[in-house]
Amino acid sequence: MRAWAPIAVAAAALFALQLLLGRFEFFVYLASLVGVNVILAVSLNIINGMTGQFSIGHAGFMAVGAYTASVFSLATNDTRIAGLGVVSDQIFFVAALALGGAAAALCGFLVGLPSLRLRGDYLAIVTLGFGEIIRVIVQNTPSLGGPLGLSGVPQYSTFAMVWFVVFITVLVARRLASSTHGRALWAIREDEVAAEAMGVDTTAYKVRAFVVSAFFAGVAGGLFTHFQSVITPAQFDFTRSIDIVVFIVAGGLGSTTGAVSAAVVLTLLPEALRSLFGAIGADSSLSAVVDQIRKPLYGVLLIIIMLARPQGIFGTNEAWDLFKKKKAAA
Amino acid sequence: MSVGEVILEAKATSITFGGLKALTSFNLQVKRGDLKGLIGPNGAGKTTAFNVLTGVYLPTSGDVEVCGERVNGRRPWEINRRGLARTFQNIRLFKSLTALDNVRIAVIANTKPLFARDRIARLRSGSSMNRVAAKVLDASNNYVDWWRALLKTPGFLREEAELTARADALLEVMGLSHRRDEQAKNLPYGEQRRLEIARALGTQPKVLLLDEPAAGMNTREKADLMVLIRELREKFSLGILVIEHDMKLVMGICEHITVLDHGETIAAGDPAAVRADPKVIEAYLGEAPAHA
Ligand SMILES: Nc1ncnc2c1ncn2[C@@H]1O[C@H](COP(=O)(O)OP(=O)(O)O)[C@@H](O)[C@H]1O
Ligand SMILES: [Mg+2]
């Protein structure tokens, strides 16, 4: 019962916020963008931070989820469950998200398998290859719109739904990190040989980390497409994967708190710059500059963090542990 | 379960690295309740023997059997679950985890899964169809474990409490309760070695392999450790195989000693006989009195 209480509370709170803020379109758009990036960062952190593997193909899983969900929603666009009104749309939306997540999880399983044999750089190259292969396949599949992508995906997404998924992702990461079975992931990160010697089936755990992580990346993709309405393969390229890696490295590999914070700040920063430039000179060329300076800016930021605090802003610390310690001291 | 049951057996096990014969025709039997020693000068192949026994290396020839079953080619975690646990010469703790968590991770090995492990093990050694079934059941077990953790089911919470209690008990046995919530890397050297033993015990082994457990300890600590090792054997009715560089120390507690030199077994038997063996004296004299 206690396990479900936080979920119920979060759902109610988000629903209330939705009623309050739902009409501010730009806010909802920004919040959704941030939310999707938080889900991506927190889920990638399960592989890269907790398990200590190095995946740089997270955008690939997101793409699989986004395209799967889009195709489903486009196909069922005209179908309604009689008598349910907008609720019918939301039911189809949840189904699309679940399908997107499942398809990505399947890919996660397949990509996770080579991690049985490969370590470090080699695994990184496999995940990178996976991400690029997905993008190239989509680009060359006419039924998926080729390089132009898919458009007209129904805009089912809401502020509440995005942040409910954010909440669930964080909850899953947190409960995994602090349960004994999930803790085996930390053991793999710390010392794989010792973990094996202590009866931890390291390959099974690694594959599972990939499956869970890819599932949430797929759901993030599904959410993304349902508020963007248009998706193109270029949105899921290598730089997107790197952005997510930057989030978790800056936040602190292994820290869910760090992943969330960095994803929020680093998503809002370019948006803030863009609106700033928009306010100065109303022409759009300055906004385009933001995208160009964003990448070198991230690079510089990462170098500074690596020099000043190699373990990332939060290290492996969590906000909720701080709270726990305070309580224990009191 | 009785004392005297053969748990670990090496039968003419050999391994070569390139041209180097690191271990040649190694024979050894460890029963429950045994306390045996494995000694030899530096580079003799002692650690290599442990690595072969625990599945880190695949023997080039010969067999390793655990509880009568041939385990060549099995992964280290599978061998561990059959009842063999070890420590490492160059301490390999989960450094940034707490002492408690180090032990708790090891304790997972004996939780009760949805599908019984011995049943899966039986399937695994069967036909190819059965092996597939074993894989599926194993995977189901794993995913169910995580689902229970995510949903915080009552069964999960009870199991967490049990695991924690068991880990705490082991810390207590090894005299580490006061370090429970400290990161392993912050423990003094001697305590790190003891934590490694606690962790190995967490997997509920039938035979425990200790690789130079006293290395880096002072004389007093060494003596205490030897007493402790004896106690562990009684308390957990373990078979124990100790690698120790220091002859005197091993002679003091072991009932049987195997001496390696350049991968070859140059002597094996009770301590008095081994000590008197001219080959052993020569091997050790050749190495100079570095370790008194
Ligand atoms: N993985 C390996 N590859 C090549 N040579 C190895 C390997 N492991 C051990 N050796 C060699 O095997 C010999 C025995 O080493 P080891 O078992 O560590 O000795 P010790 O008796 O001191 O524990 C040494 O010569 C060592 O260099
Ligand atoms: Mg050695």
Side-chain angles (χ1 to χ4, degrees):
Chain A
M1 208 68 249
R2 279 230 307 271
W4 295 95
I7 300 174
V9 170
L14 286 170
F15 191 68
L17 278 176
Q18 170 76 37
L19 291 180
L20 272 172
L21 303 170
R23 54 212 157 83
F24 303 111
E25 265 178 43
F26 187 63
F27 166 79
V28 170
Y29 176 74
L30 262 191
S32 302
L33 216 54
V34 170
V36 162
N37 279 344
V38 169
I39 298 167
L40 289 168
V42 171
S43 59
L44 183 64
N45 190 44
I46 295 175
I47 300 177
N48 290 23
M50 289 165 65
T51 321
Q53 307 301 299
F54 203 66
S55 169
I56 48 174
H58 218 46
F61 298 123
M62 186 192 180
V64 169
Y67 272 90
T68 307
S70 303
V71 168
F72 176 78
S73 282
L74 286 169
T76 57
N77 209 358
D78 301 323
T79 322
R80 292 270 181 293
I81 303 171
L84 284 181
V86 272
V87 176
S88 160
D89 286 348
Q90 289 300 307
I91 290 172
F92 277 107
F93 181 34
V94 169
L97 293 181
L99 271 178
L106 185 67
C107 291
F109 178 74
L110 296 176
V111 176
L113 282 180
S115 73
L116 315 186
R117 290 179 207 299
L118 302 176
R119 272 149 219 254
D121 311 345
Y122 298 102
L123 180 64
I125 288 166
V126 168
T127 57
L128 168 71
F130 163 77
E132 287 301 287
I133 287 169
I134 292 294
R135 194 176 57 81
V136 170
I137 289 177
V138 170
Q139 213 154 35
N140 292 292
T141 308
S143 60
L144 293 177
L148 296 176
L150 294 174
S151 55
V153 180
Q155 293 188 300
Y156 291 152
S157 178
T158 58
F159 166 78
M161 184 60 100
V162 172
W163 280 86
F164 185 66
V165 178
V166 170
F167 181 79
I168 296 290
T169 313
V170 171
L171 196 72
V172 166
R174 182 191 160 165
R175 285 189 180 167
L176 266 190
S178 59
S179 81
T180 302
H181 287 282
R183 224 174 268 123
L185 298 178
W186 293 104
I188 296 171
R189 164 184 159 140
E190 292 292 312
D191 191 324
E192 204 167 325
V193 173
E196 277 267 333
M198 295 307 126
V200 174
D201 181 355
T202 55
T203 51
Y205 273 99
K206 280 193 260 178
V207 171
R208 255 188 295 166
F210 264 96
V211 169
V212 172
S213 173
F215 174 81
F216 283 106
V219 174
L223 290 167
F224 182 73
T225 182
H226 284 92
F227 65 80
Q228 288 282 358
S229 176
V230 181
I231 51 168
T232 65
Q235 285 170 315
F236 307 102
D237 66 354
F238 176 60
T239 42
R240 175 144 212 135
S241 295
I242 294 300
D243 281 351
I244 310 167
V245 173
V246 171
F247 294 156
I248 58 175
V249 173
L253 278 174
S255 166
T256 299
T257 310
V260 174
S261 317
V264 171
V265 171
L266 293 179
T267 312
L268 288 180
L269 201 66
E271 294 301 330
L273 286 178
R274 205 171 285 153
S275 6
L276 189 73
F277 285 140
I280 299 168
D283 67 285
S284 55
S285 67
L286 271 173
S287 316
V289 170
V290 172
D291 275 329
Q292 279 168 11
I293 61 167
R294 191 177 60 95
K295 281 164 204 164
L297 205 68
Y298 276 16
V300 171
L301 184 79
L302 213 53
I303 290 170
I304 293 172
I305 290 177
M306 286 303 99
L307 288 175
R309 200 172 154 80
Q311 70 274 43
I313 306 280
F314 285 84
T316 54
N317 298 318
E318 299 291 4
W320 46 78
D321 288 341
L322 206 74
F323 185 63
K324 221 187 302 173
K325 267 172 213 151
K326 262 195 197 143
K327 260 202 307 199
Chain B
M1 286 292 143
S2 61
V3 168
E5 169 198 8
V6 178
I7 304 297
L8 172 65
E9 191 159 13
K11 293 181 170 171
T13 315
S14 305
I15 186 165
T16 54
F17 297 111
L20 178 77
K21 290 181 177 167
L23 195 65
T24 309
S25 198
F26 180 66
N27 288 297
L28 179 78
Q29 204 182 53
V30 183
K31 303 193 186 87
R32 249 184 204 277
D34 278 352
L35 181 37
K36 294 192 169 185
L38 183 60
I39 65 171
N42 242 327
K46 306 179 297 290
T47 299
T48 303
F50 268 24
N51 284 335
V52 171
L53 294 174
T54 56
V56 176
Y57 297 149
L58 184 67
T60 317
S61 67
D63 288 328
V64 177
E65 289 180 4
V66 177
C67 298
E69 185 198 347
R70 188 170 170 271
V71 295
N72 301 24
R74 292 251 182 253
R75 300 253 313 280
W77 71 269
E78 295 178 287
I79 295 177
N80 171 269
R81 298 227 167 151
R82 283 170 174 72
L84 215 56
R86 71 175 293 184
T87 63
F88 295 89
Q89 181 178 353
N90 48 336
I91 303 175
R92 302 190 77 138
L93 288 166
F94 307 126
K95 292 193 189 65
S96 50
L97 303 188
T98 62
L100 177 71
D101 282 346
N102 267 274
V103 183
R104 274 206 283 197
I105 283 160
V107 175
I108 310 176
N110 41 62
T111 53
K112 243 206 209 82
L114 188 64
F115 302 104
R117 285 214 179 84
D118 49 347
R119 201 174 125 208
I120 295 176
R122 244 177 290 129
L123 282 174
R124 202 179 279 131
S125 49
S127 68
S128 62
M129 264 309 272
N130 284 348
R131 277 206 295 278
V132 172
K135 277 222 167 78
V136 172
L137 292 187
D138 226 6
S140 322
N141 273 345
N142 293 338
Y143 283 93
V144 166
D145 282 341
W146 274 14
W147 274 113
R148 295 193 315 143
L150 297 182
L151 301 177
K152 288 196 173 178
T153 61
F156 163 79
L157 294 174
R158 207 176 322 118
E159 191 181 272
E160 281 286 297
E162 273 171 29
L163 295 179
T164 308
R166 215 181 303 160
D168 271 325
L170 285 170
L171 287 178
E172 169 112 52
V173 169
M174 298 308 293
L176 292 169
S177 293
H178 61 298
R179 299 289 193 191
R180 184 180 193 266
D181 298 315
E182 273 181 61
Q183 284 186 322
K185 64 180 170 205
N186 294 338
L187 266 53
Y189 198 73
E191 291 188 344
Q192 289 196 13
R193 289 227 172 263
R194 276 189 279 147
L195 180 56
E196 259 212 340
I197 298 178
R199 185 178 67 171
L201 289 171
T203 66
Q204 294 199 342
K206 296 170 185 150
V207 164
L208 182 61
L209 310 180
L210 303 172
D211 197 344
E212 304 203 16
M217 290 184 176
N218 62 35
T219 321
R220 224 208 106 139
E221 282 177 319
K222 277 185 183 177
D224 288 348
L225 183 73
M226 292 302 145
V227 174
L228 185 63
I229 288 174
R230 271 209 171 115
E231 284 172 9
L232 291 181
R233 165 171 72 160
E234 307 305 325
K235 195 169 162 76
F236 298 98
S237 60
L238 285 172
I240 297 180
L241 178 63
V242 196
I243 293 182
E244 186 45 66
H245 207 68
D246 189 329
M247 270 259 258
K248 269 192 207 145
L249 216 67
V250 173
M251 296 285 172
I253 62 164
C254 295
E255 290 127 14
H256 180 279
I257 288 170
T258 304
V259 190
L260 287 178
D261 190 23
H262 297 295
E264 309 251 4
T265 307
I266 56 169
D270 65 80
V274 164
R275 195 204 297 262
D277 195 308
K279 275 198 234 157
V280 177
I281 295 168
E282 193 189 336
Y284 267 80
L285 281 180
E287 222 216 357
H291 37 75

